[in-house]
Amino acid sequence: MAASNRNAFDDFFDDDEPESVVDTKADGRLLRVPLSRMTPNGVNPRTDFGTAEQLEDLGRSLKRRQIQAVPVVTKRAYLKLWPDHEGRIGNVDVVIVSGERRWRAATAVDLGALDCVINDDVAVSRKSFIEAVVSENVDRANFDPVEEAYAVVALVTEFGTNRAVAQHFERADGWVTQRVLLTHLAPSVQALVRQKLMPVEKARTLGKLTRDHSWTEEQQAAWWGEQQAERKAAAATRRSEKSRKAPKVRESGSGVTTSGDSGRRREGQSGGESAADEFRSDSSKAVATGFPAQAVSTSAESRPAPAPEGEEGPVARWADSEYVFQQIIASMTPADRRQLTARLLKYNSSESEAVDASDISMSA
């Protein structure tokens, strides 16, 4: 690239870009301004700047390093827009556009001064100044919804209509109306919104009702009380329905049982009772299919054997072969048990041994 195309910043940035880096603001200047020579503007809709502790934390952070400069305008440029504010701003050099929280934090820790960027282009008109004050807050996700509402009202005052504001911020027309509704609420109700004790959507509904019917603070409070009562009643109904659908648990002599499909299953038996009931109901089919009826035993002796005397716990029980056998039988379906019986009969017949069906316990 030809040397004539290089600019004064090429050596600094170490690039070959032909376009120069320039100061786009005619009067943009970075200065270290004493806190006593600067003051907040009188049109900022924000009123919540955090607790004293939070401001001190931010102030200590600013003492270590200030990353973002505070945008300001000169006193002269500000008073051209609001000459009646002269007594309010006092004897200062600059007026803060946005960054009042940083100014308050610096004041809380006696920082002394802040880095500021002076840009009187912001104060060309009230409209441009208000837009600069409000736009940063409106675009914040965690902006106080009540403060946002008053910020939007300030914008409407300067822009003329709701639609003009919505178009400027590239929002739907209803975006402005929804926020303005909160300004119709009584201060005590707005406090609930600020504290997140009332959902914003409910607050907007109440704001519309208040606007349309000129409700008093008492009427607004009564409406919210009814809404809370209805919500509690609905929650109680849901809990009641849930408890009715939940399985009932009852104590029995041999364990804890539950109602429903698992009601016949006892703790520690892996559904053995249910399988035994199913097998007993099918025992008559064994005779019809040619299997000896005595092979089906539903007596108490065929139930899973207890753990050997002196031993406790599942490990001891599974060490007992009889117990293991009974558990296997209990876990089988009726068809599986019939097939097992047939195979045992066939096996024993081939060995010419008499089958003693009473030795094969088929209980659950």
Side-chain angles (χ1 to χ4, degrees):
M1 183 175 291
S4 59
N5 289 332
R6 294 181 62 80
N7 59 72
F9 287 91
D10 283 335
D11 291 337
F12 180 78
F13 289 112
D14 192 25
D15 61 28
D16 293 324
E17 292 296 327
E19 186 174 350
S20 298
V21 178
V22 299
D23 183 358
T24 59
K25 302 297 182 182
D27 59 350
R29 291 167 287 164
L30 179 64
L31 300 174
R32 186 75 173 170
V33 181
L35 299 183
S36 60
R37 305 305 300 171
M38 57 193 299
T39 188
N41 65 73
V43 294
N44 187 4
R46 186 176 185 182
T47 58
D48 182 11
F49 298 95
T51 64
E53 182 179 354
Q54 290 171 335
L55 288 175
E56 289 177 2
D57 287 344
L58 176 58
R60 286 191 289 269
S61 175
L62 290 171
K63 273 188 173 182
R64 291 192 297 272
R65 184 180 295 104
Q66 181 185 348
I67 302 298
Q68 185 178 6
V70 177
V72 298
V73 298
T74 61
K75 175 182 178 180
R76 176 182 53 81
Y78 180 81
L79 290 179
K80 282 184 178 180
L81 303 179
W82 287 280
D84 55 318
H85 288 188
E86 184 170 9
R88 177 186 302 179
I89 65 175
N91 185 23
V92 297
D93 296 319
V94 297
V95 178
I96 298 171
V97 178
S98 62
E100 182 175 345
R101 185 167 183 265
R102 276 168 281 169
W103 175 80
R104 289 175 179 268
T107 302
V109 297
D110 298 322
L111 180 57
L114 284 172
D115 292 337
C116 300
V117 173
I118 300 177
N119 183 11
D120 281 354
D121 286 349
V122 172
V124 170
S125 65
R126 286 192 176 192
K127 179 179 177 180
S128 63
F129 189 89
I130 290 291
E131 193 274 339
V133 171
V134 169
S135 60
E136 181 180 354
N137 288 330
V138 166
D139 290 333
R140 284 209 333 260
N142 61 342
F143 194 30
D144 183 318
V146 176
E147 291 182 350
E148 182 187 42
Y150 284 105
V152 171
V153 169
L155 288 170
V156 172
T157 301
E158 298 302 327
F159 280 72
T161 64
N162 290 8
R163 173 163 292 185
V165 174
Q167 290 177 343
H168 181 80
F169 287 95
E170 299 180 347
R171 307 293 177 92
D173 292 351
W175 179 84
V176 176
T177 303
Q178 289 174 354
R179 280 145 185 82
V180 173
L181 288 174
L182 298 185
T183 64
H184 296 282
L185 300 175
S188 61
V189 180
Q190 289 179 345
L192 297 177
V193 181
R194 291 177 185 272
Q195 298 165 16
K196 298 183 179 180
L197 298 177
M198 178 186 293
V200 174
E201 291 304 320
K202 289 290 186 181
R204 289 171 180 165
T205 300
L206 179 55
K208 185 177 186 303
L209 292 169
T210 300
R211 181 199 64 185
D212 295 345
H213 304 288
S214 301
W215 277 2
T216 64
E217 183 174 1
E218 290 73 17
Q219 289 173 311
Q220 295 174 41
W223 180 88
W224 177 234
E226 293 174 358
Q227 293 294 309
Q228 289 181 300
E230 291 178 4
R231 183 178 61 179
K232 290 180 180 178
T237 300
R238 288 193 297 270
R239 287 194 298 269
S240 177
E241 292 177 351
K242 185 177 180 180
S243 64
R244 286 200 300 268
K245 294 179 181 179
K248 295 181 180 180
V249 179
R250 65 180 184 274
E251 294 288 341
S252 66
S254 57
V256 180
T257 61
T258 59
S259 63
D261 294 338
S262 61
R264 292 188 300 272
R265 298 180 181 178
R266 295 179 179 174
E267 289 185 345
Q269 292 188 5
S270 304
E273 287 288 343
S274 177
D277 291 342
E278 181 182 3
F279 184 60
R280 279 194 291 269
S281 66
D282 200 68
S283 60
S284 60
K285 298 178 182 178
V287 177
T289 54
F291 297 108
Q294 62 268 31
V296 181
S297 174
T298 60
S299 63
E301 289 93 357
S302 64
R303 296 180 183 275
E309 185 176 355
E311 299 182 14
E312 297 180 356
V315 175
R317 287 185 305 196
W318 285 102
D320 178 43
S321 60
E322 178 65 20
Y323 177 81
V324 173
F325 175 74
Q326 298 295 345
Q327 291 299 317
I328 294 173
I329 294 298
S331 66
M332 298 175 68
T333 65
D336 291 336
R337 286 191 288 267
R338 288 195 296 271
Q339 184 177 5
L340 176 61
T341 302
R343 295 185 66 176
L344 288 173
L345 290 172
K346 181 178 179 181
Y347 174 80
N348 289 335
S349 297
S350 65
E351 296 293 329
S352 300
E353 295 180 2
V355 176
D356 186 357
S358 62
D359 289 338
I360 305 174
S361 180
M362 294 296 186
S363 74

